[in-house]
Amino acid sequence: MSDARAALDRITQMEDGPEGLNAFLALATPGDLDVRAVGRLAGVPVAVKDNLSTAGLPTTCGSRLLEGYQAPYEATVVRRLRDAGAVVIGKTNLDEFGMGSSTENSGFGPTLNPHDRSRVPGGSSGGSAAAVAAGYTTMALGSDTGGSVRQPASFCGVVGIKPTYGRVSRYGLVAFASSLDQVGTLGRTVSDAATLLGVIAGHDPRDATSADTPVPDFTSDVGRGVEGMVVGVPAEYFPEALDPAIKELIDKALARLVGAGARLQDVSLPSTSFAIPSYYVLAPAEASSNLARFDGVRFGVRQSGPDIASMYERTRAVFGDEVKRRIMLGTYALSSGYYDEYYGTAQRARSLVAQDFAGVFEQVDVLFTPTAPTPAFALGEHTNDPLAMYLSDVFTVTANLAGIPAMSVPVGEVDGLPVGGQVLAPWWHESAMLAVAGALEASLAGSAP
Ligand code: GLN
Protein backbone atom coordinates (compact mmCIF):
# COMPACT_ATOMS: atom_id res chain seq x y z
CA MET A 1 0.00 0.00 0.00
CA SER A 2 1.31 3.50 -0.78
CA ASP A 3 2.24 5.91 2.03
CA ALA A 4 -0.57 8.20 0.98
CA ARG A 5 -3.13 5.41 1.00
CA ALA A 6 -1.95 4.29 4.44
CA ALA A 7 -2.19 7.89 5.69
CA LEU A 8 -5.69 8.32 4.29
CA ASP A 9 -6.83 5.08 5.94
CA ARG A 10 -5.27 6.12 9.26
CA ILE A 11 -6.86 9.56 9.16
CA THR A 12 -10.30 8.25 8.20
CA GLN A 13 -10.24 5.58 10.86
CA MET A 14 -9.08 7.93 13.63
CA GLU A 15 -11.12 10.96 12.70
CA ASP A 16 -14.34 8.98 12.27
CA GLY A 17 -13.87 7.32 15.68
CA PRO A 18 -14.44 8.62 19.21
CA GLU A 19 -10.86 9.94 19.36
CA GLY A 20 -11.32 12.18 16.32
CA LEU A 21 -9.52 15.55 16.52
CA ASN A 22 -11.47 17.42 13.84
CA ALA A 23 -8.14 18.22 12.20
CA PHE A 24 -9.45 18.02 8.63
CA LEU A 25 -12.22 19.89 6.85
CA ALA A 26 -11.88 17.85 3.64
CA LEU A 27 -10.00 14.70 2.66
CA ALA A 28 -8.66 13.43 -0.65
CA THR A 29 -10.48 10.46 -2.13
CA PRO A 30 -8.62 7.22 -2.87
CA GLY A 31 -8.82 8.14 -6.56
CA ASP A 32 -6.82 11.35 -5.90
CA LEU A 33 -3.86 9.34 -4.66
CA ASP A 34 -2.74 7.97 -7.99
CA VAL A 35 0.01 10.47 -8.65
CA ARG A 36 3.30 10.14 -10.45
CA ALA A 37 5.57 9.20 -7.55
CA VAL A 38 8.71 10.98 -8.67
CA GLY A 39 10.39 14.04 -7.20
CA ARG A 40 11.78 15.20 -3.87
CA LEU A 41 8.55 14.30 -2.06
CA ALA A 42 7.60 11.31 -4.19
CA GLY A 43 4.41 9.82 -2.78
CA VAL A 44 4.66 11.73 0.53
CA PRO A 45 1.26 12.70 1.98
CA VAL A 46 1.08 16.37 3.01
CA ALA A 47 -1.76 18.10 4.88
CA VAL A 48 -2.64 21.59 3.63
CA LYS A 49 -4.26 24.41 5.61
CA ASP A 50 -7.67 25.23 4.24
CA ASN A 51 -6.84 28.84 3.36
CA LEU A 52 -4.60 27.64 0.51
CA SER A 53 -6.39 27.27 -2.80
CA THR A 54 -6.47 23.71 -4.12
CA ALA A 55 -7.94 22.32 -7.31
CA GLY A 56 -10.23 19.37 -6.62
CA LEU A 57 -10.80 20.08 -2.91
CA PRO A 58 -12.87 22.85 -1.35
CA THR A 59 -11.19 25.92 0.19
CA THR A 60 -13.29 27.29 3.06
CA CYS A 61 -10.80 29.22 5.24
CA GLY A 62 -12.70 27.72 8.17
CA SER A 63 -15.61 30.01 7.31
CA ARG A 64 -19.22 28.98 6.84
CA LEU A 65 -19.37 31.76 4.27
CA LEU A 66 -17.15 29.74 1.92
CA GLU A 67 -18.68 26.33 2.65
CA GLY A 68 -18.36 24.28 -0.54
CA TYR A 69 -16.30 26.94 -2.38
CA GLN A 70 -13.99 25.42 -4.98
CA ALA A 71 -11.11 27.64 -6.01
CA PRO A 72 -10.75 27.74 -9.79
CA TYR A 73 -6.94 27.58 -9.53
CA GLU A 74 -4.20 26.35 -7.20
CA ALA A 75 -1.88 28.19 -4.87
CA THR A 76 1.70 28.22 -6.13
CA VAL A 77 2.85 26.35 -3.01
CA VAL A 78 0.32 23.57 -3.63
CA ARG A 79 1.34 23.34 -7.28
CA ARG A 80 4.98 23.05 -6.18
CA LEU A 81 4.06 20.29 -3.73
CA ARG A 82 2.42 18.31 -6.49
CA ASP A 83 5.31 18.96 -8.88
CA ALA A 84 7.62 17.47 -6.23
CA GLY A 85 5.50 14.30 -6.20
CA ALA A 86 3.68 14.98 -2.91
CA VAL A 87 0.06 13.98 -2.34
CA VAL A 88 -2.33 16.57 -0.91
CA ILE A 89 -4.05 14.32 1.61
CA GLY A 90 -6.60 16.84 2.85
CA LYS A 91 -7.40 20.38 3.97
CA THR A 92 -6.86 21.21 7.63
CA ASN A 93 -8.98 23.14 10.09
CA LEU A 94 -8.14 26.72 11.11
CA ASP A 95 -9.50 29.77 12.87
CA GLU A 96 -11.80 31.53 10.41
CA PHE A 97 -9.57 33.30 7.84
CA GLY A 98 -6.59 32.68 10.16
CA MET A 99 -7.93 34.97 12.89
CA GLY A 100 -7.22 33.34 16.21
CA SER A 101 -4.74 31.44 18.33
CA SER A 102 -6.64 28.26 19.22
CA THR A 103 -8.60 27.04 16.14
CA GLU A 104 -11.75 27.60 18.23
CA ASN A 105 -12.82 30.37 15.83
CA SER A 106 -13.37 27.83 13.04
CA GLY A 107 -16.90 27.81 11.64
CA PHE A 108 -16.65 24.00 11.65
CA GLY A 109 -15.84 23.36 15.32
CA PRO A 110 -12.49 23.36 17.12
CA THR A 111 -9.61 20.96 16.56
CA LEU A 112 -8.43 19.08 19.67
CA ASN A 113 -4.81 18.80 20.84
CA PRO A 114 -3.63 15.20 20.32
CA HIS A 115 -1.55 15.40 23.54
CA ASP A 116 -4.63 16.26 25.63
CA ARG A 117 -8.02 16.36 23.99
CA SER A 118 -9.36 18.85 26.53
CA ARG A 119 -6.87 21.43 25.24
CA VAL A 120 -6.52 23.55 22.12
CA PRO A 121 -3.89 22.74 19.48
CA GLY A 122 -3.08 26.45 19.12
CA GLY A 123 -3.91 28.42 16.04
CA SER A 124 -4.66 29.43 13.55
CA SER A 125 -2.92 26.47 11.83
CA GLY A 126 -4.21 24.13 14.57
CA GLY A 127 -5.47 21.48 12.16
CA SER A 128 -2.07 21.22 10.44
CA ALA A 129 -0.16 21.04 13.74
CA ALA A 130 -2.55 18.44 15.19
CA ALA A 131 -2.35 16.35 11.99
CA VAL A 132 1.44 16.18 12.22
CA ALA A 133 1.45 15.61 16.00
CA ALA A 134 -1.12 12.81 15.70
CA GLY A 135 1.08 11.08 13.12
CA TYR A 136 -1.47 11.48 10.31
CA THR A 137 1.23 12.99 8.11
CA THR A 138 4.88 13.89 8.64
CA MET A 139 4.50 17.33 7.06
CA ALA A 140 1.90 20.04 6.62
CA LEU A 141 1.53 23.53 5.22
CA GLY A 142 0.24 26.37 7.37
CA SER A 143 0.22 30.16 7.22
CA ASP A 144 1.68 32.58 9.73
CA THR A 145 0.46 36.17 10.02
CA GLY A 146 1.31 36.68 13.69
CA GLY A 147 2.44 33.25 14.86
CA SER A 148 -0.08 30.84 13.37
CA VAL A 149 2.51 28.25 12.39
CA ARG A 150 4.88 28.62 15.35
CA GLN A 151 2.42 28.81 18.26
CA PRO A 152 0.44 25.66 17.24
CA ALA A 153 3.76 23.89 16.56
CA SER A 154 4.76 24.73 20.14
CA PHE A 155 1.40 23.58 21.58
CA CYS A 156 1.47 20.29 19.63
CA GLY A 157 5.16 19.39 20.01
CA VAL A 158 6.13 19.67 16.34
CA VAL A 159 8.43 21.91 14.29
CA GLY A 160 6.99 25.02 12.59
CA ILE A 161 8.76 27.47 10.27
CA LYS A 162 7.76 30.99 9.22
CA PRO A 163 10.10 32.01 6.41
CA THR A 164 11.34 35.50 5.56
CA TYR A 165 8.55 37.64 4.08
CA GLY A 166 8.85 37.19 0.31
CA ARG A 167 10.64 33.83 0.49
CA VAL A 168 7.46 31.89 -0.34
CA SER A 169 4.73 32.82 -2.79
CA ARG A 170 1.40 34.01 -1.39
CA TYR A 171 -0.38 33.43 -4.70
CA GLY A 172 -3.49 31.42 -3.87
CA LEU A 173 -3.20 31.97 -0.10
CA VAL A 174 -6.47 33.63 0.86
CA ALA A 175 -5.31 37.00 2.20
CA PHE A 176 -5.74 37.93 5.86
CA ALA A 177 -3.16 40.71 6.36
CA SER A 178 -1.07 40.80 3.20
CA SER A 179 1.99 42.60 4.57
CA LEU A 180 2.31 40.02 7.38
CA ASP A 181 1.08 36.73 5.83
CA GLN A 182 3.61 34.04 4.89
CA VAL A 183 3.02 30.39 4.08
CA GLY A 184 4.99 28.21 6.49
CA THR A 185 5.79 24.56 7.02
CA LEU A 186 5.22 22.10 9.86
CA GLY A 187 7.05 18.80 10.35
CA ARG A 188 7.72 15.99 12.80
CA THR A 189 11.39 16.89 12.57
CA VAL A 190 13.42 19.97 11.68
CA SER A 191 14.57 18.16 8.58
CA ASP A 192 10.99 17.45 7.42
CA ALA A 193 9.93 21.07 7.88
CA ALA A 194 13.13 22.27 6.15
CA THR A 195 12.67 19.90 3.21
CA LEU A 196 9.10 21.08 2.71
CA LEU A 197 10.28 24.70 2.84
CA GLY A 198 12.83 23.94 0.13
CA VAL A 199 10.05 22.60 -2.09
CA ILE A 200 7.72 25.62 -1.78
CA ALA A 201 10.30 28.46 -1.60
CA GLY A 202 11.51 30.59 -4.47
CA HIS A 203 10.45 33.39 -6.75
CA ASP A 204 6.95 33.41 -8.22
CA PRO A 205 6.08 36.03 -10.85
CA ARG A 206 2.43 35.73 -9.77
CA ASP A 207 3.16 37.32 -6.38
CA ALA A 208 4.53 40.85 -6.58
CA THR A 209 5.98 40.53 -3.06
CA SER A 210 7.83 37.32 -3.86
CA ALA A 211 11.58 37.92 -3.90
CA ASP A 212 13.97 36.71 -6.54
CA THR A 213 16.44 35.39 -3.97
CA PRO A 214 18.34 32.10 -4.34
CA VAL A 215 16.99 29.21 -2.25
CA PRO A 216 19.72 27.41 -0.32
CA ASP A 217 19.67 23.68 0.39
CA PHE A 218 17.77 24.02 3.67
CA THR A 219 17.87 20.30 4.43
CA SER A 220 21.66 20.27 4.56
CA ASP A 221 21.68 23.29 6.93
CA VAL A 222 19.91 21.23 9.60
CA GLY A 223 22.98 19.15 10.48
CA ARG A 224 25.53 21.94 10.06
CA GLY A 225 26.10 22.46 13.77
CA VAL A 226 26.39 25.68 15.78
CA GLU A 227 30.13 25.80 16.54
CA GLY A 228 31.15 29.44 16.90
CA MET A 229 27.64 30.84 16.45
CA VAL A 230 26.41 33.67 18.67
CA VAL A 231 22.91 33.20 20.07
CA GLY A 232 21.25 36.36 21.38
CA VAL A 233 18.94 36.15 24.40
CA PRO A 234 16.59 39.17 24.39
CA ALA A 235 15.58 40.30 27.88
CA GLU A 236 12.11 41.43 26.74
CA TYR A 237 11.12 37.83 25.92
CA PHE A 238 11.70 36.69 29.50
CA PRO A 239 9.27 38.87 31.50
CA GLU A 240 8.74 38.41 35.23
CA ALA A 241 5.37 36.82 34.53
CA LEU A 242 6.80 34.08 32.29
CA ASP A 243 5.81 30.60 33.50
CA PRO A 244 8.92 29.41 35.44
CA ALA A 245 8.62 25.90 34.00
CA ILE A 246 8.87 27.35 30.48
CA LYS A 247 11.80 29.54 31.49
CA GLU A 248 13.59 26.47 32.83
CA LEU A 249 13.13 24.55 29.57
CA ILE A 250 14.40 27.49 27.54
CA ASP A 251 17.43 27.86 29.84
CA LYS A 252 18.21 24.16 29.43
CA ALA A 253 17.96 24.49 25.65
CA LEU A 254 20.36 27.45 25.76
CA ALA A 255 22.77 25.39 27.85
CA ARG A 256 22.63 22.61 25.26
CA LEU A 257 23.48 25.11 22.52
CA VAL A 258 26.51 26.18 24.54
CA GLY A 259 27.41 22.50 24.89
CA ALA A 260 27.28 22.25 21.09
CA GLY A 261 29.74 25.13 20.69
CA ALA A 262 27.57 28.25 20.53
CA ARG A 263 28.12 31.38 22.60
CA LEU A 264 25.28 33.26 24.32
CA GLN A 265 24.89 37.01 24.42
CA ASP A 266 22.32 39.04 26.34
CA VAL A 267 20.62 41.59 24.11
CA SER A 268 17.72 44.02 24.30
CA LEU A 269 14.88 44.72 21.85
CA PRO A 270 13.32 47.73 23.58
CA SER A 271 10.39 48.20 21.16
CA THR A 272 9.01 44.70 21.80
CA SER A 273 6.18 46.06 23.95
CA PHE A 274 4.83 47.96 20.91
CA ALA A 275 4.45 44.74 18.92
CA ILE A 276 1.07 43.44 20.10
CA PRO A 277 -0.70 46.83 19.96
CA SER A 278 0.83 47.57 16.56
CA TYR A 279 -0.08 44.12 15.19
CA TYR A 280 -3.65 44.33 16.44
CA VAL A 281 -4.16 47.62 14.60
CA LEU A 282 -2.36 46.69 11.37
CA ALA A 283 -3.64 43.12 10.97
CA PRO A 284 -7.33 44.12 11.39
CA ALA A 285 -6.80 47.17 9.14
CA GLU A 286 -5.48 44.98 6.33
CA ALA A 287 -8.10 42.32 7.04
CA SER A 288 -10.94 44.81 6.80
CA SER A 289 -9.72 45.75 3.36
CA ASN A 290 -9.03 42.16 2.22
CA LEU A 291 -12.34 40.83 3.48
CA ALA A 292 -14.35 43.50 1.68
CA ARG A 293 -14.45 41.07 -1.25
CA PHE A 294 -16.73 38.81 0.80
CA ASP A 295 -19.58 41.28 0.46
CA GLY A 296 -21.89 38.53 -0.72
CA VAL A 297 -21.74 39.63 -4.33
CA ARG A 298 -19.03 37.28 -5.58
CA PHE A 299 -18.48 34.62 -2.90
CA GLY A 300 -20.85 32.68 -0.74
CA VAL A 301 -24.06 33.74 -2.43
CA ARG A 302 -25.37 30.33 -3.40
CA GLN A 303 -27.94 30.10 -0.64
CA SER A 304 -29.03 33.74 -0.78
CA GLY A 305 -31.88 35.26 -2.61
CA PRO A 306 -31.15 37.22 -5.78
CA ASP A 307 -31.33 40.66 -4.19
CA ILE A 308 -28.29 42.49 -2.82
CA ALA A 309 -29.91 43.07 0.57
CA SER A 310 -30.27 39.37 1.28
CA MET A 311 -26.69 38.74 0.12
CA TYR A 312 -25.41 41.28 2.63
CA GLU A 313 -27.63 39.77 5.27
CA ARG A 314 -26.12 36.35 4.71
CA THR A 315 -22.56 37.69 4.92
CA ARG A 316 -23.41 39.38 8.21
CA ALA A 317 -25.07 36.27 9.58
CA VAL A 318 -22.35 33.76 8.77
CA PHE A 319 -19.12 35.57 9.64
CA GLY A 320 -17.95 34.57 13.12
CA ASP A 321 -17.63 37.08 15.95
CA GLU A 322 -13.84 37.38 15.72
CA VAL A 323 -13.97 38.15 12.00
CA LYS A 324 -16.60 40.82 12.58
CA ARG A 325 -14.57 42.25 15.46
CA ARG A 326 -11.50 42.56 13.23
CA ILE A 327 -13.44 44.16 10.38
CA MET A 328 -14.87 46.74 12.76
CA LEU A 329 -11.53 47.44 14.44
CA GLY A 330 -9.78 47.70 11.10
CA THR A 331 -12.38 49.92 9.48
CA TYR A 332 -12.28 52.23 12.48
CA ALA A 333 -8.48 52.41 12.46
CA LEU A 334 -8.51 53.34 8.77
CA SER A 335 -11.34 55.86 8.93
CA SER A 336 -10.60 59.45 8.12
CA GLY A 337 -9.81 61.42 11.25
CA TYR A 338 -8.39 58.35 13.02
CA TYR A 339 -6.08 57.09 10.29
CA ASP A 340 -2.94 58.83 11.43
CA GLU A 341 -3.58 58.37 15.13
CA TYR A 342 -4.08 54.59 14.84
CA TYR A 343 -2.80 53.23 11.54
CA GLY A 344 0.03 55.74 11.24
CA THR A 345 1.18 55.22 14.82
CA ALA A 346 1.07 51.45 14.40
CA GLN A 347 3.18 51.67 11.23
CA ARG A 348 5.77 53.77 13.05
CA ALA A 349 5.85 51.25 15.90
CA ARG A 350 6.30 48.48 13.34
CA SER A 351 9.39 50.26 11.96
CA LEU A 352 10.85 50.48 15.46
CA VAL A 353 10.39 46.72 15.99
CA ALA A 354 12.19 46.05 12.68
CA GLN A 355 14.99 48.50 13.56
CA ASP A 356 15.54 46.72 16.88
CA PHE A 357 16.09 43.45 15.04
CA ALA A 358 18.40 45.06 12.47
CA GLY A 359 20.48 46.41 15.36
CA VAL A 360 20.88 43.18 17.33
CA PHE A 361 21.58 41.12 14.22
CA GLU A 362 24.77 43.12 13.85
CA GLN A 363 25.91 41.46 17.07
CA VAL A 364 24.38 37.97 17.01
CA ASP A 365 23.62 35.26 14.42
CA VAL A 366 20.22 34.26 15.78
CA LEU A 367 17.94 34.94 18.76
CA PHE A 368 16.40 32.32 21.02
CA THR A 369 13.18 32.84 23.01
CA PRO A 370 10.11 30.95 24.18
CA THR A 371 7.57 30.51 21.35
CA ALA A 372 4.53 31.13 23.55
CA PRO A 373 4.12 32.26 27.16
CA THR A 374 2.22 29.09 28.19
CA PRO A 375 1.72 25.49 27.06
CA ALA A 376 -1.59 24.61 25.35
CA PHE A 377 -4.52 26.11 27.25
CA ALA A 378 -7.89 24.47 27.84
CA LEU A 379 -10.68 24.59 25.27
CA GLY A 380 -12.91 27.53 26.14
CA GLU A 381 -10.34 29.11 28.49
CA HIS A 382 -9.89 32.29 26.43
CA THR A 383 -12.93 32.29 24.15
CA ASN A 384 -14.66 35.08 26.07
CA ASP A 385 -11.53 37.14 26.53
CA PRO A 386 -10.07 38.24 23.19
CA LEU A 387 -7.23 40.16 24.86
CA ALA A 388 -6.01 37.06 26.72
CA MET A 389 -6.17 35.18 23.41
CA TYR A 390 -4.18 37.93 21.65
CA LEU A 391 -1.44 37.74 24.30
CA SER A 392 -0.57 34.18 23.35
CA ASP A 393 1.09 35.78 20.27
CA VAL A 394 3.25 38.12 22.32
CA PHE A 395 6.54 36.43 21.31
CA THR A 396 5.61 35.63 17.71
CA VAL A 397 4.09 38.77 16.14
CA THR A 398 7.43 40.62 16.18
CA ALA A 399 8.87 38.40 13.41
CA ASN A 400 5.88 39.13 11.15
CA LEU A 401 6.06 42.86 11.80
CA ALA A 402 9.75 42.85 10.85
CA GLY A 403 9.46 40.23 8.09
CA ILE A 404 12.28 38.09 9.51
CA PRO A 405 12.27 34.27 9.55
CA ALA A 406 11.44 32.47 12.80
CA MET A 407 10.65 28.93 13.81
CA SER A 408 9.50 26.85 16.75
CA VAL A 409 11.27 23.66 17.78
CA PRO A 410 10.23 21.38 20.67
CA VAL A 411 12.35 21.84 23.81
CA GLY A 412 10.55 19.61 26.29
CA GLU A 413 7.30 19.20 28.22
CA VAL A 414 5.56 20.80 31.18
CA ASP A 415 3.07 18.47 32.89
CA GLY A 416 2.94 16.29 29.79
CA LEU A 417 2.31 19.23 27.45
CA PRO A 418 4.84 20.14 24.77
CA VAL A 419 6.73 23.44 24.84
CA GLY A 420 8.54 25.04 21.92
CA GLY A 421 11.52 27.35 21.75
CA GLN A 422 11.67 30.03 19.06
CA VAL A 423 14.71 30.71 16.88
CA LEU A 424 14.68 34.05 15.03
CA ALA A 425 17.18 34.94 12.32
CA PRO A 426 18.03 37.92 10.10
CA TRP A 427 16.21 38.43 6.80
CA TRP A 428 17.01 35.54 4.37
CA HIS A 429 19.09 33.66 6.98
CA GLU A 430 16.82 30.64 7.42
CA SER A 431 20.00 28.54 7.16
CA ALA A 432 21.36 29.81 10.50
CA MET A 433 17.98 29.30 12.15
CA LEU A 434 17.76 25.72 10.86
CA ALA A 435 21.28 24.92 12.06
CA VAL A 436 20.34 26.02 15.58
CA ALA A 437 17.00 24.17 15.54
CA GLY A 438 18.72 21.06 14.18
CA ALA A 439 21.36 21.18 16.94
CA LEU A 440 18.66 21.54 19.60
CA GLU A 441 16.67 18.65 18.21
CA ALA A 442 19.76 16.44 18.11
CA SER A 443 20.77 17.37 21.66
CA LEU A 444 17.25 16.74 22.97
CA ALA A 445 17.15 13.33 21.30
CA GLY A 446 20.50 12.49 22.88
CA SER A 447 19.67 13.75 26.38
CA ALA A 448 18.24 11.61 29.15
CA PRO A 449 14.47 11.99 29.54
N1 GLN B 1 -3.25 34.72 16.42
C1 GLN B 1 -2.95 35.82 15.56
C2 GLN B 1 -4.22 36.49 15.13
O1 GLN B 1 -5.22 36.12 15.58
C3 GLN B 1 -2.13 35.35 14.40
C4 GLN B 1 -2.92 34.63 13.40
C5 GLN B 1 -2.11 34.15 12.26
O2 GLN B 1 -0.89 34.12 12.30
N2 GLN B 1 -2.82 33.82 11.18
O3 GLN B 1 -4.22 37.38 14.33
Side-chain angles (χ1 to χ4, degrees):
M1 193 174 9
S2 71
D3 287 355
R5 185 59 210 251
L8 188 60
D9 288 352
R10 191 161 61 233
I11 295 167
T12 315
Q13 196 187 351
M14 279 291 295
E15 289 290 275
D16 287 351
E19 301 287 287
L21 302 168
N22 197 31
F24 284 91
L25 297 178
L27 281 175
T29 60
D32 299 333
L33 307 185
D34 301 326
V35 295
R36 216 166 32 101
V38 288
R40 258 193 287 178
L41 295 180
V44 176
V46 178
V48 173
K49 188 175 180 178
D50 201 25
N51 58 355
L52 287 162
S53 304
T54 41
L57 283 169
T59 300
T60 68
C61 301
S63 181
R64 288 275 173 194
L65 188 87
L66 290 178
E67 199 167 358
Y69 167 69
Q70 288 268 356
Y73 63 96
E74 283 205 308
T76 296
V77 291
V78 175
R79 171 80 7 238
R80 288 185 179 172
L81 275 188
R82 297 198 206 265
D83 288 347
V87 179
V88 175
I89 206 76
K91 302 295 291 291
T92 57
N93 200 7
L94 67 155
D95 290 296
E96 190 171 8
F97 291 104
M99 299 176 190
S101 310
S102 68
T103 315
E104 293 167 294
N105 294 337
S106 167
F108 303 96
T111 295
L112 311 182
N113 189 317
H115 292 270
D116 176 346
R117 298 170 72 266
S118 71
R119 290 177 186 268
V120 303
S124 63
S125 311
S128 287
V132 174
Y136 294 161
T137 62
T138 55
M139 305 174 178
L141 289 182
S143 66
D144 192 311
T145 304
S148 281
V149 163
R150 290 160 286 154
Q151 184 255 25
S154 176
F155 282 15
C156 289
V158 301
V159 176
I161 302 177
K162 181 204 91 76
T164 308
Y165 186 81
R167 174 70 91 183
V168 175
S169 169
R170 290 184 297 111
Y171 178 76
L173 166 68
V174 179
F176 162 11
S178 312
S179 77
L180 301 157
D181 299 337
Q182 261 305 274
V183 177
T185 63
L186 296 110
R188 290 285 268 193
T189 62
V190 178
S191 174
D192 285 343
T195 300
L196 189 56
L197 178 61
V199 166
I200 62 169
H203 182 240
D204 177 13
R206 289 176 155 152
D207 170 5
T209 62
S210 147
D212 199 356
T213 305
V215 178
D217 177 3
F218 294 128
T219 318
S220 72
D221 291 323
V222 176
R224 216 176 58 187
V226 293
E227 189 68 55
M229 279 178 83
V230 184
V231 178
V233 184
E236 292 77 7
Y237 288 68
F238 297 85
E240 282 294 312
L242 182 65
D243 182 339
I246 292 197
K247 167 111 174 47
E248 192 183 322
L249 285 176
I250 298 296
D251 285 344
K252 280 187 181 157
L254 287 166
R256 292 204 306 273
L257 287 175
V258 171
R263 182 164 68 74
L264 305 185
Q265 184 169 327
D266 288 330
V267 294
S268 174
L269 297 159
S271 303
T272 301
S273 61
F274 301 151
I276 283 276
S278 162
Y279 174 87
Y280 277 100
V281 170
L282 297 175
E286 294 188 29
S288 72
S289 161
N290 277 323
L291 268 61
R293 72 188 56 146
F294 302 110
D295 53 6
V297 176
R298 281 153 297 188
F299 299 94
V301 296
R302 290 167 311 284
Q303 292 151 37
S304 310
D307 60 299
I308 293 283
S310 67
M311 291 178 189
Y312 279 131
E313 197 41 57
R314 179 172 144 74
T315 300
R316 235 192 331 265
V318 296
F319 269 155
D321 286 348
E322 186 61 29
V323 173
K324 287 192 248 190
R325 185 178 295 125
R326 305 267 178 128
I327 292 172
M328 283 163 61
L329 272 172
T331 307
Y332 184 78
L334 290 175
S335 56
S336 101
Y338 295 103
Y339 180 88
D340 193 55
E341 192 176 344
Y342 292 107
Y343 187 78
T345 305
Q347 284 289 30
R348 286 188 286 277
R350 178 181 192 169
S351 303
L352 294 176
V353 170
Q355 280 165 26
D356 273 5
F357 281 121
V360 296
F361 284 131
E362 285 178 8
Q363 307 162 44
V364 303
D365 297 301
V366 295
L367 296 163
F368 192 69
T369 75
T371 304
T374 64
F377 44 86
L379 286 156
E381 194 174 328
H382 294 326
T383 37
N384 294 323
D385 187 352
L387 288 181
M389 190 73 91
Y390 296 170
L391 281 175
S392 71
D393 304 318
V394 62
F395 301 142
T396 49
V397 294
T398 49
N400 302 78
L401 289 169
I404 59 171
M407 68 184 287
S408 182
V409 58
V411 293
E413 291 189 350
V414 172
D415 299 333
L417 295 171
V419 169
Q422 179 176 230
V423 191
L424 304 100
W427 294 267
W428 312 109
H429 286 254
E430 282 87 352
S431 296
M433 172 179 99
L434 290 166
V436 170
L440 275 174
E441 181 180 63
S443 69
L444 196 62
S447 68

